[in-house]
Amino acid sequence: MKTTVNFKNINNLAIPATIAGIAEPLLSITDTAIVGNIPVDGLESLAAAGIVGSFLSMLIWVLGQTRSAISAIISQYLGAGKLEEVKTLPAQAIFLNIALSILILLSTVFIIREIFELLNATGKILEYCISYYSIRVWGFPLTLFVFAVMGIFRGLQNTYWPMVIAITGAVLNVLFDLILVYGIEGFIEPLYLDGAAYASLISQAIMAIMAFWLLWKKTDISLVLTFPLHPELGRLVVMSLNLFVRALALNTALILAVREATALGEKYIGAHTIAINLWLFSAFFIDGYGAAGNIMGGRLLGEKNYDGLWLLAKKIVTYGLYVSLVLMLTSFIFYKPIGALFSNEDVVLETFYGIFFIIIIGLPMNTIAFVLDGVFKGLGEMKYLRNTLLAATFLGFVPTLFLGKYLHWGLTGIWVAFTIWMLIRGGALVWKFRRKFRPLLQNT
């Protein structure tokens, strides 16, 4: 039976995926808002949270690509009616991923100071970075485990349980942030920035326990490591490696942006921290339709339903653009109140307001890139995604970034570079999809 591509089926996947997706950046946004209002060294704490958050996001995104690979393979097997043949693969992939995460974690804890000095952190900001990272980094393997389990659920066409896990983590993080950062008079001493780190770590641990329990209770997928190795493990590793290189290119852009903003001064990294968190929030918000494209795209490819795949791409891009227009309107209406949520420092807010409009007007373009990115992951087109990101980063973002630096554009130059970056990414994906799948349509 062929998969039906309609508004209901798409949104049954996209809406829970959107809710789950925005819960991830909400963890960082919560830290940013609460840390930015710390009464002692709030500006330095905000800068440190932004620098560490960007570096941790890089690590998670680089190694978290197994989620998309697992989802693509499971959904393709589901569409082909051969799900039983792939049930031993997830456990092998998760064990491999966690082993790599522990190796990287242990390799970074001995050079923390050098890492953040490389990112231009100095003085009190550097010390805060070291302290904050030393706590948060232990949640790294937990997050990767949760990502992998979410990938399994997505491959099974289920975005509901990932949503439940993500919402629980986000709510708990807010609660623990308020308790541990500011303390409770007479009971708990305020831990300030370290409190935000502990809040994230505890929330990640609870999410990992939930993910394990739900996978065990709600699916037939086993997490018991069995041998021999599954024949698809090689394809999964190749897909993951392509996404690994892609994530390195992606995070090269993000880290260079943080480095250049930090070099401009405290008010600039504070403003950039607010901006990048809002940019990521909008990305994950829009990416719900990318997740639907990922999930349904793999299944439609397994069915060889190319007409359905073409229709899916058209519909999810359209729905995503509607969402981006709502976000644009909301952002312009609440332009200044949004910034005030994250900091009480006038110099930071003035700087942020000077570049916020760039983020807002780029939302429709971002939508096309994020949504088609999800479709391509479901189709297993990881090599093309890798090449697109490499070109966008090193032929678009990096030259624009350093041109802006040479011309003294300040923080504006960084966000113009992001705009060029997304334009190349979205344009390349539109071109490739039309070129590859239009000739396969039955009605052409």
Side-chain angles (χ1 to χ4, degrees), residues 149-198:
V149 172
M150 287 181 172
I152 295 170
F153 276 116
R154 285 186 173 190
L156 296 172
Q157 315 293 289
N158 184 328
T159 55
Y160 176 76
W161 292 120
M163 176 189 72
V164 172
I165 295 168
I167 289 175
T168 302
V171 171
L172 289 176
N173 191 73
V174 172
L175 179 63
F176 292 135
D177 259 339
L178 293 172
I179 293 172
L180 297 176
V181 172
Y182 298 132
I184 299 176
E185 190 173 353
F187 294 95
I188 299 174
E189 289 293 318
L191 297 176
Y192 301 127
L193 186 60
D194 284 353
Y198 282 117

Side-chain angles (χ1 to χ4, degrees), residues 317-346:
V317 167
T318 301
Y319 300 155
L321 286 173
Y322 287 149
V323 172
S324 70
L325 290 175
V326 171
L327 289 175
M328 288 179 72
L329 183 61
T330 303
S331 297
F332 275 124
I333 291 173
F334 299 102
Y335 198 88
K336 291 200 171 181
I338 288 173
L341 287 173
F342 299 98
S343 179
N344 54 16
E345 298 280 349
D346 290 338

Side-chain angles (χ1 to χ4, degrees), residues 17-331:
T18 297
I19 296 170
I22 62 175
E24 292 178 30
L26 272 177
L27 293 177
S28 295
I29 284 178
T30 301
D31 282 353
T32 302
I34 292 176
V35 167
N37 287 284
I38 286 175
V40 180
D41 295 333
L43 181 56
E44 291 84 355
S45 296
L46 177 63
I51 295 167
V52 174
S54 296
F55 181 70
L56 276 175
S57 292
M58 181 198 72
L59 292 181
I60 291 167
W61 283 5
V62 165
L63 285 184
Q65 300 306 316
T66 305
R67 171 175 65 175
S68 297
I70 291 174
S71 176
I73 291 174
I74 291 178
S75 62
Q76 289 171 20
Y77 270 75
L78 182 66
K82 299 178 180 179
L83 187 59
E84 286 293 328
E85 297 179 15
V86 78
K87 283 190 173 178
T88 61
L89 177 63
Q92 295 173 4
I94 288 172
F95 272 85
L96 176 63
N97 213 37
I98 291 177
L100 284 173
S101 73
I102 292 173
L103 180 64
I104 290 178
L105 182 156
L106 294 175
S107 67
T108 62
V109 295
F110 298 110
I111 53 170
I112 297 174
R113 179 175 294 274
E114 289 76 9
I115 289 170
F116 295 114
E117 284 178 340
L118 188 63
L119 294 175
N120 283 336
T122 58
K124 190 176 288 186
I125 292 176
L126 175 60
E127 298 308 316
Y128 280 159
C129 282
I130 294 169
S131 176
Y132 186 61
Y133 180 81
S134 298
I135 300 166
R136 278 205 61 183
V137 69
W138 299 101
F140 180 45
L142 300 173
T143 298
L144 291 182
F145 172 75
V146 172
F147 271 28
V149 172
M150 287 181 172
I152 295 170
F153 276 116
R154 285 186 173 190
L156 296 172
Q157 315 293 289
N158 184 328
T159 55
Y160 176 76
W161 292 120
M163 176 189 72
V164 172
I165 295 168
I167 289 175
T168 302
V171 171
L172 289 176
N173 191 73
V174 172
L175 179 63
F176 292 135
D177 259 339
L178 293 172
I179 293 172
L180 297 176
V181 172
Y182 298 132
I184 299 176
E185 190 173 353
F187 294 95
I188 299 174
E189 289 293 318
L191 297 176
Y192 301 127
L193 186 60
D194 284 353
Y198 282 117
S200 294
L201 179 59
I202 295 168
S203 300
Q204 288 164 333
I206 294 171
M207 290 169 70
I209 293 168
M210 284 184 66
F212 177 83
W213 188 86
L214 287 169
L215 190 69
W216 175 39
K217 288 292 185 180
K218 302 297 180 180
T219 75
D220 295 328
I221 301 292
S222 173
L223 286 182
V224 176
L225 184 61
T226 57
F227 293 96
L229 297 178
H230 194 281
E232 285 283 14
L233 186 63
R235 182 162 77 107
L236 184 142
V237 169
V238 170
M239 290 167 68
S240 298
L241 284 174
N242 280 323
L243 289 175
F244 178 90
V245 174
R246 174 184 179 274
L248 284 176
L250 186 152
N251 282 284
T252 295
L254 295 178
I255 293 298
L256 280 175
V258 170
R259 188 175 188 276
E260 292 305 312
T262 304
L264 290 171
E266 290 182 358
K267 69 176 183 179
Y268 293 99
I269 184 56
H272 181 74
T273 298
I274 298 171
I276 197 66
N277 275 288
L278 289 170
W279 188 88
L280 290 171
F281 176 81
S282 67
F284 281 102
F285 202 103
I286 296 166
D287 198 47
Y289 286 103
N294 180 321
I295 295 162
M296 295 183 72
R299 185 169 184 172
L300 290 164
L301 182 66
E303 296 173 358
K304 301 188 185 303
N305 183 358
Y306 302 117
D307 283 345
L309 185 58
W310 184 266
L311 181 61
L312 173 70
K314 288 175 64 177
K315 284 184 175 291
I316 59 175
V317 167
T318 301
Y319 300 155
L321 286 173
Y322 287 149
V323 172
S324 70
L325 290 175
V326 171
L327 289 175
M328 288 179 72
L329 183 61
T330 303
S331 297

